[in-house]
Amino acid sequence: MARPRSFDPDDVLEIARQVFWRKGFQATSLDEITAASGIAKPSLYAAFGDKNALFLKVLDRYHDGILGWAERTLAQPAPAREAIRQWLTGFIPYCSGEKGQHGCLSINSATDGSLDQAEVRNSIERYNRRLEDLLRARLRGSRAEFRKGFDPDVTAHTIMVVHAGLLALAHQRPDSKQVKAVIDQVMGLLA
Amino acid sequence: MARPRSFDPDDVLEIARQVFWRKGFQATSLDEITAASGIAKPSLYAAFGDKNALFLKVLDRYHDGILGWAERTLAQPAPAREAIRQWLTGFIPYCSGEKGQHGCLSINSATDGSLDQAEVRNSIERYNRRLEDLLRARLRGSRAEFRKGFDPDVTAHTIMVVHAGLLALAHQRPDSKQVKAVIDQVMGLLA
DNA sequence: CTCATTATCTACTTCTAAGTACAGAATAGG
DNA sequence: CCTATTCTGTACTTAGAAGTAGATAATGAG
């Protein structure tokens, strides 16, 4: 009964994600997104709202992707240490410059002072909380695997810190062997 | 023989640092710096060059400050673990939201995709290398304090990762007790 | 005191990027 | 086939910010 949309919004969010990831929120112009996607600005505005709203959708989608993967990986029947090692290991391409040197969109956004809109901060905070919840739950549930006095809560946060650190330092393209060595060393805390 | 400058360049760099730190490079306008410093744009341009050059000077100065402090702290005669713990502990106010929630200017800049000018990247890379060199040298020199098989090189990098992670996560204002607990746990690797 | 020199200030230009108006195109239902 | 409705594309407006021109002020040398 009306003209149908000529594009799949999810495709456009994927393209927008790439551009935002590479250049950051502020430095990305909508013109670059229209150039990359072939979708003109009025269509973007109609479909997603303004630049802030578009970015928020991109970020939420990104968060959901990572959380989904974390859920799958951490739910494995393997020992907690191996599940977590595997989860961290999966980030190595993003930590070592193999998949570009852009690290993590969420961490890049968290450290971006220009993004002080409440909704973005909330999205990032919710994401971090859910990720840490997953780690904490896994460690608590596997307490039997660890020494007496092992603190799953502190350890979950330490892993969050290491994860963030690896992805923050991704921007200097460290060698993947070095990243792996750090993960191995930190896994020594899970005992 | 000519009109003297009416301001101390170092004062202006300090003010510019605060603004850049809070809002990031892209989102900071020179008008904000003139407003904060009282120095008009032509004077800024005459003294520092364009916005990129000003930011680079601010960043270099920031790096020098942190490196100087790291040198002093790590040169202590105390055991390496205590010297490093003290160094990391010094960042707690910046990691926990006590001194704002802006983390580290260098890490924020490293994760800022809009800052891909080679000079900024080089400054950050040189800073990270020098910092890691300090840690590595300290750990190598104190090898006698550690178990057989202790790897000072990997450990130095792990500490860099934790340091970066703590300051990246600073933007969500974690509790300082939590930050301290992570540092304590990681110091367990220095044995 | 006067001048050469450099700093400063106001006001401007220029450019980029966000957001939009409006005309034209595509569809489903009648 | 015709029309209401929604999408699309060109071209625009507007705002903000980088960078500068040109006049004016402050200093030290002579």
Side-chain angles (χ1 to χ4, degrees):
Chain A
M1 165 204 223
R3 179 172 181 173
R5 212 168 248 154
S6 66
F7 58 90
D8 179 347
D10 217 54
D11 292 346
V12 175
L13 288 179
E14 172 61 28
I15 290 171
R17 179 176 75 168
Q18 293 171 12
V19 184
F20 278 130
W21 200 346
R22 180 154 37 85
K23 309 208 37 168
F25 174 76
Q26 277 278 334
T28 297
S29 74
L30 287 187
D31 288 335
E32 288 173 273
I33 293 177
T34 65
S37 65
I39 310 301
K41 269 190 288 184
S43 297
L44 291 179
Y45 277 86
F48 306 108
D50 65 9
K51 189 183 172 187
N52 287 315
L54 171 61
F55 182 76
L56 191 59
K57 286 188 172 66
V58 165
L59 189 61
D60 281 338
R61 190 169 163 283
Y62 176 85
H63 286 157
D64 288 343
I66 302 208
L67 284 170
W69 181 58
E71 278 169 12
R72 290 191 296 278
T73 312
L74 295 178
Q76 288 180 116
R81 182 172 52 236
E82 291 317 310
I84 291 174
R85 185 203 302 276
Q86 193 172 329
W87 176 65
L88 281 175
T89 301
F91 287 98
I92 289 182
Y94 300 92
C95 293
S96 63
E98 287 172 22
K99 297 222 177 181
Q101 53 186 323
H102 309 304
C104 166
L105 176 62
S106 183
I107 288 169
N108 297 354
S109 303
T111 59
D112 182 346
S114 72
L115 279 167
D116 55 359
Q117 30 170 345
E119 287 171 327
V120 169
R121 304 232 81 90
N122 289 343
S123 175
I124 295 171
E125 193 182 328
R126 193 167 48 242
Y127 162 72
N128 278 298
R129 195 172 48 239
R130 287 169 68 190
L131 208 46
E132 188 164 341
D133 284 348
L134 287 174
L135 290 167
R136 192 187 307 115
R138 186 60 164 95
L139 290 172
R140 283 183 177 173
S142 306
R143 218 180 219 136
E145 301 170 14
F146 304 115
R147 70 175 188 287
K148 218 173 75 168
F150 176 82
D151 187 331
D153 296 7
V154 169
T155 306
H157 193 65
T158 297
I159 292 168
M160 290 291 292
V161 167
V162 170
H163 170 246
L166 286 173
L167 284 159
L169 293 185
H171 294 261
Q172 10 186 349
R173 300 176 165 279
D175 189 273
S176 66
K177 288 198 188 314
Q178 203 174 19
V179 175
K180 189 169 181 316
V182 168
I183 294 175
D184 285 342
Q185 188 177 44
V186 171
M187 286 303 101
L189 295 172
L190 304 197
Chain B
M1 159 212 227
R3 178 172 182 172
R5 211 169 249 154
S6 66
F7 59 91
D8 179 346
D10 216 54
D11 292 345
V12 175
L13 288 179
E14 172 60 27
I15 289 171
R17 180 177 74 169
Q18 293 171 14
V19 184
F20 279 129
W21 200 345
R22 181 155 37 84
K23 310 207 37 169
F25 174 76
Q26 277 277 336
T28 297
S29 74
L30 286 186
D31 288 335
E32 288 174 273
I33 293 177
T34 65
S37 66
I39 310 301
K41 269 190 288 184
S43 297
L44 291 178
Y45 276 87
F48 306 108
D50 66 9
K51 191 183 171 187
N52 287 316
L54 171 61
F55 182 77
L56 192 59
K57 286 188 172 65
V58 165
L59 189 61
D60 280 338
R61 189 170 163 282
Y62 175 85
H63 286 156
D64 288 344
I66 301 208
L67 283 170
W69 181 58
E71 279 169 9
R72 291 191 297 278
T73 311
L74 296 178
Q76 288 179 118
R81 182 171 52 236
E82 291 317 309
I84 290 174
R85 185 202 304 275
Q86 194 173 327
W87 175 68
L88 280 176
T89 300
F91 287 98
I92 289 181
Y94 300 92
C95 293
S96 62
E98 288 171 21
K99 298 222 176 180
Q101 52 185 324
H102 308 304
C104 167
L105 176 61
S106 184
I107 288 169
N108 296 354
S109 303
T111 59
D112 183 345
S114 72
L115 279 167
D116 55 359
Q117 30 170 345
E119 287 172 327
V120 168
R121 302 232 82 92
N122 288 343
S123 175
I124 295 171
E125 193 181 329
R126 192 167 49 242
Y127 162 72
N128 278 298
R129 195 170 50 239
R130 288 169 67 189
L131 208 48
E132 188 163 340
D133 284 347
L134 287 175
L135 290 167
R136 192 187 307 114
R138 185 62 163 93
L139 289 172
R140 283 182 177 173
S142 305
R143 217 180 219 137
E145 301 170 13
F146 304 116
R147 72 176 187 287
K148 219 172 74 167
F150 175 82
D151 187 330
D153 297 7
V154 169
T155 305
H157 193 63
T158 296
I159 292 168
M160 291 292 292
V161 167
V162 170
H163 170 247
L166 286 173
L167 285 159
L169 293 184
H171 294 261
Q172 12 186 346
R173 301 176 163 281
D175 189 274
S176 66
K177 288 199 190 312
Q178 203 174 19
V179 176
K180 191 170 179 314
V182 169
I183 295 175
D184 285 342
Q185 188 178 43
V186 171
M187 287 303 102
L189 295 172
L190 304 197

